[in-house]
Amino acid sequence: MFQLLSRLCNPLSLSPLGRVRLLGWILPPALLIALLALSELAVRAEFQSDRQTRLLAINQDLASLASLLTYELHAAQYFTLGLKAYLETNDGHVDEKALAPWLTELQERGAHIRNIALAPDNRISYIYPLEGNEAALGLYYPDVPAQWPGVKAVIETRQPKLIGPFQLRQGGLGLVYREAIFLHENQYWGVVSTAINADSLFAALLERAGRNGMSINIYDREQAQWLMGNDGVSGDLQEVIAIPVVGRQWDLVAGADMMQMPLRLTLVRWGGWLLALFSAYLLLQFIRSLSARMQANRALEDSQKRFKRVFSASPQAMALIENDALWLEVNPSFCALLGLQPDELQGKKIVDLFDSAEQERVLAAMQEIDNSFVINNAHFKQFEAHLASPVTDNLMGLVSLGICYRTAKKTHWTLQIIDISERIRLDNLKRDFVSMVSHELRTPLTSILGGLKLLASGSFSEFDENATKIINIALQNGERLSLLINDLLDMEKLVAGKMQFQLQEHNLVALLKQSLESIEPYAAEYQVRLVFDAPEKELRVKVDDSRLLQVVANLLSNAVKFSPPNAEVSLSIEVVNTQVKVIVCDQGEGIAPADQSKLFKRFSQVDSSSTRKKGGTGLGLAISKELIEMMEGSIGYQPAPGGGACFYFELTLVDEPNKDIASGEVGGVQRE
Ligand code: ADP
């Protein structure tokens, strides 16, 4: 943990991949927070600006309401002032006939003027319009305790005043503007008043305010009370405007609800969050893919380093060559094996590494590899060849050559060589030794066997039963030894390519009959019956007759040897087109599938213990295979249909196959 923290505190100590991973932890959340904050700030700024716009609108509405209110109040004031001027110029005389239409007209012009009243000596004697205001006519102020103190104050202070709202005698809520009239020499005349219909005025104000989503009220500062209902105003946003009223201090107050976040801004906010999340996600993905790529690159680099190490340290000579002559990679073992420096290889072709006698074979192998290369299915060939080295004579290599990669312009060859010079030298030594020992043994063994045969024939003297038995055992073992030596010599000749073959046309059927005859005594010894349903027609093959007889004898003797007493060994022939197949089947135990791969290999005995019992060298099948292949045929094993073993070999017929034979059963065996 401490190590992790100290590494995080010092990011420079981290590897590039570690730094990218650290950024992956830090950057996406940081971007997310920054973008969220930005979008929130933008939304709030926009909301604030919306609120300002709304406040402005409220202020404008409030100003227009204030002007409406002020207009009505001023109208009352001007009507009263007009009357005052009239009374003063007419010396307090009221010409009712002239005044009535004029005042009625005036009252009708004011939208909310209820009436205009004249109260000489404090009694309302004239009221316009009379209709609807009859109740107020004759009102004597001193008799109305609710009104008299206000009226008295106007008279005493000689200051006009707006009074109310209060319940008018003639009904309804009213605001009354009063002015005391004094004629010259300060002679008190009475009171003139204009009543405003407060109900309709307030209703009009409220209706207009409501239309704009506002609530309004008038606050009387003097009396510290609301005039349009007691509840003040509602809403979080409040604006106030002072109303100039004679003798009063009024504020028109407007209230409106706090604006809710509009849908547009809510959508912008959500959009901002989504954008922030998406951007952070994209950044995270980008950093992840970057770190994955870096990790992959690092893994690739590691694997390349590992491969390079293995390549360089390998004791096996390895090289990678482009287009036959551009040596891309060679390992030290390669240079050491061939005794060349890497720069000495440049310009050399692959084929130049081989002994001149081998070059044609190598070119043919390369051509074959080239032809059989299919993308993603590289083809390799392995062969033993003499190498040309400036420092080592007789350098033999087990060569693996192949194409591992190819484009339209490039072909990458891989070349691996194992030095088998020592193995070949030892093989040759062993072969020479076996050959020498076999040769040296054969001559004395021949004379020993001759002697033993003479003794066994009884030509010289009669031996007792025990001595005869011993002589016969010695003779049998001597013959087995002779067989082994002959097999060893044959094998050695075959491997060294020194075996002589005299290929000539022969009748295969005749050869098979001859072989059967020669094996007959051996079969009788094992109480085995030999069966051959020979075809009548000739089957001509080009073979070395003695070598072919050797192969057939080996197969027949094995079949007899591994058969139980009273069993049958069958020899049959099948012809298919130009191929003839000779099959030897027995009724023995056969060969287990797991052991079948051991057949035809030198010194290989499937079950050594049982074979020991039966005797044998383990070379017969290997020699037969070599011999048949030298005669351009093939040899193999197949299980017998009813148990037991079937060995066969195939040869090519010289002539066109005889129609009679090709179309029917041959030698008692059904054609394939
Ligand atoms: P050997 O001289 O030992 O018989 P071969 O090369 O002829 O040598 O045969 C190799 C081995 O193959 C034998 O030892 C035996 O185990 C097995 N084999 C050959 N022929 C038969 C057969 N007809 N039935 C069973 N096993 C056989």
Side-chain angles (χ1 to χ4, degrees):
M1 186 68 189
F2 175 74
Q3 208 179 2
L4 182 74
L5 278 176
S6 68
R7 281 189 147 205
L8 288 182
C9 294
N10 184 12
L12 289 178
S13 69
L14 294 170
S15 66
L17 181 60
R19 265 179 256 164
V20 170
R21 280 187 179 150
L22 183 65
L23 285 181
W25 281 101
I26 294 170
L27 282 186
L31 181 74
L32 179 67
I33 292 168
L35 288 180
L36 282 178
L38 260 178
S39 83
E40 193 58 28
L41 280 176
V43 165
R44 283 183 185 213
E46 187 64 20
F47 185 43
Q48 199 58 32
S49 131
D50 279 8
R51 277 183 66 158
Q52 289 302 329
T53 313
R54 174 101 171 98
L55 268 180
L56 210 64
I58 290 171
N59 274 324
Q60 279 173 355
D61 290 345
L62 190 62
S64 100
L65 288 171
S67 74
L68 173 70
L69 178 62
T70 312
Y71 174 82
E72 289 300 327
L73 298 178
H74 284 174
Q77 188 182 351
Y78 296 142
F79 288 171
T80 313
L81 278 175
L83 264 179
K84 183 184 174 188
Y86 170 82
L87 289 168
E88 282 171 358
T89 37
N90 282 327
D91 210 11
H93 178 72
V94 177
D95 180 354
E96 205 181 344
K97 274 193 185 147
L99 204 57
W102 180 64
L103 284 179
T104 308
E105 174 76 19
L106 267 183
Q107 182 276 332
E108 278 170 6
R109 289 194 177 202
H112 301 283
I113 302 295
R114 173 78 183 262
N115 62 60
I116 303 165
L118 289 82
D121 296 323
N122 297 333
R123 182 180 299 281
I124 297 175
S125 308
Y126 310 97
I127 189 158
Y128 305 97
L130 181 60
E131 196 184 338
N133 295 309
E134 293 87 350
L137 194 63
L139 183 141
Y140 185 56
Y141 289 126
D143 291 346
V144 185
Q147 293 192 24
W148 177 237
V151 176
K152 200 176 162 196
V154 168
I155 298 166
E156 282 171 4
T157 58
R158 296 196 182 190
Q159 290 296 324
K161 190 164 184 176
L162 183 74
I163 303 184
F166 61 90
Q167 279 298 326
L168 297 172
R169 170 159 293 206
Q170 61 272 40
L173 201 63
L175 287 163
V176 180
Y177 184 83
R178 291 198 179 110
E179 175 124 22
I181 308 294
F182 290 88
L183 301 177
H184 19 260
E185 293 160 12
N186 286 333
Q187 183 195 342
Y188 174 66
W189 178 84
V191 173
V192 183
S193 60
T194 305
I196 300 167
N197 191 344
D199 286 326
S200 71
L201 176 61
F202 289 173
L205 288 172
L206 285 171
E207 193 266 329
R208 274 184 63 171
R211 247 190 283 155
N212 295 329
M214 298 190 301
S215 70
I216 56 159
N217 210 329
I218 298 168
Y219 185 71
D220 188 328
R221 282 197 233 162
E222 230 175 14
Q223 295 170 14
Q225 67 175 33
W226 293 101
L227 303 184
M228 297 165 67
N230 295 328
D231 296 336
V233 289
S234 61
D236 307 287
L237 299 172
Q238 294 205 347
E239 287 296 316
V240 179
I241 193 163
I243 303 294
V245 188
V246 176
R248 303 284 286 274
Q249 285 183 312
W250 281 9
D251 283 336
L252 182 63
V253 182
D257 279 335
M258 174 83 93
M259 216 178 103
Q260 292 301 312
M261 178 76 73
L263 180 65
R264 165 181 63 91
L265 287 182
T266 308
L267 288 178
V268 169
R269 175 182 271 168
W270 288 352
W273 290 352
L274 281 178
L275 192 72
L277 270 173
F278 187 60
S279 309
Y281 173 75
L282 279 187
L283 184 64
L284 183 70
Q285 286 305 99
F286 172 72
I287 293 175
R288 274 193 187 162
S289 77
L290 188 70
S291 85
R293 208 175 316 150
M294 286 176 81
Q295 206 169 353
N297 280 348
R298 203 166 76 172
L300 186 66
E301 271 171 28
D302 286 352
S303 120
Q304 278 174 345
K305 275 186 203 157
R306 272 198 301 277
F307 173 75
K308 262 226 136 66
R309 271 203 294 274
V310 170
F311 186 78
S312 303
S314 171
Q316 188 170 332
M318 291 195 271
L320 182 67
I321 311 109
E322 186 179 308
N323 293 347
D324 191 15
L326 179 60
W327 297 78
L328 298 176
E329 301 277 352
V330 283
N331 70 352
S333 302
F334 192 85
C335 295
L337 175 70
L338 292 166
L340 293 168
Q341 293 304 313
D343 51 336
E344 288 177 290
L345 280 165
Q346 295 308 336
K348 274 190 192 295
K349 290 186 164 188
I350 294 174
V351 74
D352 295 338
L353 300 184
F354 294 89
D355 191 81
S356 52
E358 304 272 18
Q359 289 187 352
E360 209 173 309
R361 193 159 66 94
V362 174
L363 282 173
M366 286 177 76
Q367 191 60 51
E368 195 190 316
I369 295 166
D370 205 24
N371 293 342
S372 57
F373 179 85
V374 185
I375 309 255
N376 294 332
N377 189 9
H379 183 69
F380 287 81
K381 253 186 112 57
Q382 199 169 56
F383 52 91
E384 293 178 2
H386 271 283
L387 295 157
S389 163
V391 288
T392 321
D393 288 337
N394 273 335
L395 182 60
M396 274 297 285
L398 176 64
V399 180
S400 297
L401 185 59
I403 295 173
C404 61
Y405 169 76
R406 172 184 272 173
T407 60
K409 290 183 181 167
K410 286 181 195 170
T411 300
H412 283 184
W413 292 86
T414 59
L415 176 60
Q416 296 173 35
I417 307 174
I418 298 172
D419 185 356
I420 52 167
S421 312
E422 186 61 12
R423 202 199 77 200
I424 298 280
R425 195 180 67 81
L426 290 174
D427 275 0
N428 288 343
L429 262 180
K430 192 179 74 186
R431 214 177 49 231
D432 290 351
F433 174 74
V434 170
S435 159
M436 188 266 284
V437 170
S438 308
H439 275 292
E440 291 306 315
L441 283 176
R442 195 158 62 166
T443 320
L445 187 64
T446 314
S447 73
I448 292 169
L449 279 176
L452 285 171
K453 276 178 190 161
L454 272 177
L455 288 176
S457 67
S459 316
F460 290 108
S461 64
E462 286 290 324
F463 295 102
D464 62 21
E465 199 180 326
N466 279 344
T468 310
K469 207 172 167 188
I470 290 168
I471 291 168
N472 279 332
I473 290 171
L475 188 59
Q476 264 177 19
N477 283 315
E479 275 169 350
R480 275 174 72 174
L481 191 59
S482 161
L483 217 70
L484 173 67
I485 289 169
N486 285 338
D487 277 357
L488 281 172
L489 285 172
D490 279 353
M491 199 69 228
E492 179 259 320
K493 273 190 210 156
L494 281 166
V495 171
K498 290 181 189 162
M499 177 141 330
Q500 299 292 321
F501 279 86
Q502 289 182 342
L503 297 179
Q504 281 175 346
E505 278 187 32
H506 292 280
N507 178 9
L508 178 66
V509 182
L511 288 176
L512 293 179
K513 281 181 181 166
Q514 190 184 333
S515 186
L516 271 176
E517 270 168 31
S518 68
I519 210 83
E520 199 66 63
Y522 185 66
E525 205 181 303
Y526 281 83
Q527 295 160 35
V528 169
R529 208 153 48 84
L530 294 174
V531 180
F532 180 37
D533 190 3
E536 283 164 17
K537 304 277 173 185
E538 281 194 359
L539 291 171
R540 301 204 68 79
V541 286
K542 198 171 181 184
V543 292
D544 182 314
D545 53 349
S546 61
R547 297 299 167 200
L548 190 78
L549 285 175
Q550 189 179 341
V551 172
V552 180
N554 182 44
L555 296 185
L556 284 173
S557 65
N558 275 350
V560 168
K561 195 164 64 174
F562 293 102
S563 290
N566 302 320
E568 200 172 79
V569 166
S570 70
L571 180 65
S572 58
I573 295 178
E574 282 179 23
V575 176
V576 178
N577 297 328
T578 55
Q579 294 292 308
V580 59
K581 188 173 180 181
V582 178
I583 309 162
V584 178
C585 290
D586 61 49
Q587 295 170 331
E589 287 178 11
I591 293 160
D595 291 330
Q596 287 170 16
S597 61
K598 295 181 194 164
L599 296 171
F600 305 105
K601 290 190 177 146
R602 274 183 254 172
F603 301 109
S604 121
Q605 293 177 323
V606 171
D607 176 355
S608 311
S609 61
S610 77
T611 311
R612 292 272 140 70
K613 272 187 253 156
K614 306 268 180 187
T617 61
L619 279 171
L621 287 177
I623 292 172
S624 298
K625 182 172 187 288
E626 294 285 340
L627 292 176
I628 283 290
E629 282 174 1
M630 295 301 278
M631 292 183 276
E632 294 179 354
S634 60
I635 192 164
Y637 169 80
Q638 67 194 34
C646 282
F647 285 86
Y648 64 86
F649 63 84
E650 286 177 306
L651 291 168
T652 307
L653 287 168
V654 175
D655 294 328
E656 277 292 297
N658 187 316
K659 279 192 179 152
D660 294 346
I661 296 167
S663 59
E665 272 186 26
V666 178
V669 178
Q670 192 74 29
R671 274 187 71 243
E672 285 175 74

